[in-house]
Amino acid sequence: MTLAAQGLDTGDTAWLLAATALVLLMTPGLALFYGGMVRTKSVLNMLMMSFVSIALVTVVWLAAGYSLAFGEDAGGGLIGGLDHLGMAGIGPDSVHGTVPTLLFATFQLTFAIITAALVSGAVADRTKFGAWLVLVPLWALLVYVPVAHWTWGPGGWILDGLGALDFAGGLPVEITSGASGLALCLVLGPRLGFGKDAMRPHNLPMVMLGAGLLWFGWFGFNAGSALGANGLAAAAFLNTLAAGCTGLLGWLFVEQRRDGHPTTLGAASGAVAGLVAITPSCGSVSLLGALVIGLTAGAVCSWAVGWKFRFGYDDSLDVVGVHLVGGVIGTLLIGVFAVEEMTGGVEGLLYGGGLAQLGKQLVAVAAVGAYAFAVTYGLAKLVDRVLGLRASEEQERTGLDLTVHAESAYDHGVLGHGAPVSSSVVPAARKVESQA
């Protein structure tokens, strides 16, 4: 039987091919976003943590992740089966809905990739690269894959049992990455000088470029989750744009009132906060709901990023303050702003649906957050005991670029007006490289 005879739609397929490429682009965009936010001595290490996640998660997903996330439920709505290990039984003639199953699997893979990369921002500047190579595949299998099955997989307990809604990844992507980032922060401890030394972003144009690429890719992330070139994709697309805009404005408003200055970092962070919050809700709420959700996330997350100083956990690049908090806001507010014309039946509190859906969303948020935190904390403790999770004090002070990768993001061999570097600096740098 041909693909067309099985219900394949070429328009849907073309759109999902483009959306998959857009979502994959988000990880290099995230690398630039994070890379600009760290100090010069660990830029390349930050980029590498994102790029290596592409390779590691891809191998794990193709070997077992897809089968466990989207295979037929193996019982209790907790995990999928093993029928598709190594992508067995899925060929070019297999169709998922109106698109090739191989394309659907690849689209979902890009979600898993960026989720792992997101976690790295919480532990920037102080994580052993070798330990990260071990942690990522274990985390993808034990944390991301089960939550993806609960939320989207056939028979998953959140979708089919509880009835909570998540259109594009508030639970598996945003809340999971944020809760996992918090767990890793607590295991690793704060960076040297946290709360005392200035740890400002070293390259704000790079941050803005990364945020722009993330925003661009987010249209594939959210609108692509409609799995078709249709009206739902168009609505999710517009909601994504709207929430990103109000998120940016909400963050800047708080900055201006609190600090007296609207900043470029605030603009980039606010847009991301709005995009995070609309991710679970873009296929469930009206345009008005999207505007309010984005504005709420931008304003609240701009306050939440300061919690790390109050409570003493070093969330280096604000994964907890933006992705966990923003993901919780967007997932919960489905229970307030969901409209029947988007959901096909479910209505939120403001549209006559009562508190029932809000309660379901709250249960899902609490369960996913607790699970991701607990399992990640245990994994981090295990890796720390076996390999050591934190870089040495010397590596952290010198910078992970030179001590781990034997490279530097910027050539400091010539200082202002062509003046050569002091002869004493060059041997010292070479000594660090040779020790690395």
Side-chain angles (χ1 to χ4, degrees):
M1 184 180 293
T2 65
L3 287 173
Q6 295 181 52
L8 178 116
D9 185 283
T10 55
D12 292 348
T13 300
W15 163 235
L16 197 61
L17 283 166
T20 301
L22 285 169
V23 182
L24 182 60
L25 180 65
M26 291 177 73
T27 300
L30 180 73
L32 291 173
F33 183 69
Y34 279 173
M37 291 175 70
V38 297
R39 292 166 289 179
T40 55
K41 61 184 181 179
S42 294
V43 181
L44 298 179
N45 178 259
M46 196 71 258
L47 298 178
M48 281 285 283
M49 290 179 81
S50 286
F51 271 84
V52 79
S53 296
I54 299 176
L56 293 170
V57 176
T58 296
V59 171
V60 168
W61 187 259
L62 298 178
Y66 175 76
S67 184
L68 293 171
F70 289 96
E72 289 300 318
D73 187 66
L78 298 177
I79 199 69
L82 303 177
D83 294 343
H84 301 302
L85 290 180
M87 304 303 288
I90 303 175
D93 290 334
S94 300
V95 175
H96 180 96
T98 60
V99 300
T101 304
L102 288 174
L103 175 56
F104 173 75
T106 307
F107 179 65
Q108 293 297 337
L109 163 61
T110 59
F111 281 59
I113 288 169
I114 195 169
T115 308
L118 282 170
V119 177
S120 68
V123 294
D125 287 337
R126 62 196 188 281
T127 305
K128 277 187 177 180
F129 189 69
W132 181 251
L133 297 180
V134 174
L135 182 65
V136 166
L138 292 174
W139 182 89
L141 275 177
L142 297 178
V143 179
Y144 181 85
V145 165
V147 176
H149 181 75
W150 301 351
T151 309
W152 297 319
W157 74 267
I158 287 179
L159 176 64
D160 291 348
L162 179 63
L165 300 179
D166 184 347
F167 190 74
L171 296 167
V173 178
E174 309 300 353
I175 292 175
T176 297
S177 63
S180 297
L182 178 59
L184 288 177
C185 288
L186 297 180
V187 173
L188 275 171
R191 289 166 290 178
L192 297 175
F194 173 69
K196 300 177 182 177
D197 300 338
M199 297 181 180
R200 301 185 183 91
H202 88 282
N203 191 327
L204 286 169
M206 184 187 292
V207 173
M208 296 293 279
L209 175 60
L213 289 172
L214 281 170
W215 200 338
F216 179 63
W218 228 298
F219 292 114
F221 201 89
N222 287 356
S225 293
L227 302 180
N230 51 39
L232 182 58
F237 195 106
L238 180 57
N239 283 345
T240 299
L241 175 60
C245 291
T246 52
L248 184 155
L249 295 173
W251 192 297
L252 291 185
F253 176 78
V254 171
E255 271 196 330
Q256 179 66 46
R257 293 292 300 271
R258 182 186 60 206
D259 308 322
H261 303 286
T263 66
T264 53
L265 179 61
S269 300
V272 170
L275 293 166
V276 165
I278 201 59
T279 292
S281 53
C282 61
S284 303
V285 303
S286 66
L287 179 58
L288 175 61
L291 290 168
V292 174
I293 288 170
L295 185 67
T296 302
V300 174
C301 290
S302 66
W303 285 105
V305 295
W307 294 349
K308 61 185 179 183
F309 299 108
R310 179 180 300 177
F311 298 111
Y313 63 89
D314 185 8
D315 174 22
S316 304
L317 307 183
D318 300 321
V319 179
V320 178
V322 173
H323 292 275
L324 177 58
V325 174
V328 168
I329 289 170
T331 305
L332 289 180
L333 290 182
I334 291 173
V336 177
F337 292 105
V339 293
E340 184 178 5
E341 55 265 33
M342 292 289 286
T343 64
V346 175
E347 291 182 314
L349 177 63
L350 290 184
Y351 295 90
L355 293 171
Q357 192 62 39
L358 182 59
K360 294 175 183 179
Q361 300 300 127
L362 180 59
V363 170
V365 165
V368 169
Y371 175 81
F373 178 87
V375 176
T376 304
Y377 191 90
L379 277 175
K381 282 290 190 181
L382 176 63
V383 173
D384 189 40
R385 180 178 293 272
V386 175
L387 298 174
L389 191 58
R390 181 158 183 160
S392 70
E393 182 175 338
E394 180 182 358
Q395 288 177 321
E396 189 175 342
R397 290 192 184 282
T398 303
L400 301 179
D401 287 358
L402 274 178
T403 59
V404 176
H405 306 292
E407 297 175 300
S408 176
Y410 303 100
D411 184 3
H412 296 299
V414 175
L415 301 178
H417 305 295
V421 175
S422 168
S423 59
S424 64
V425 174
V426 176
R430 289 175 177 166
K431 180 181 180 181
V432 170
E433 292 180 359
S434 66
Q435 290 174 344

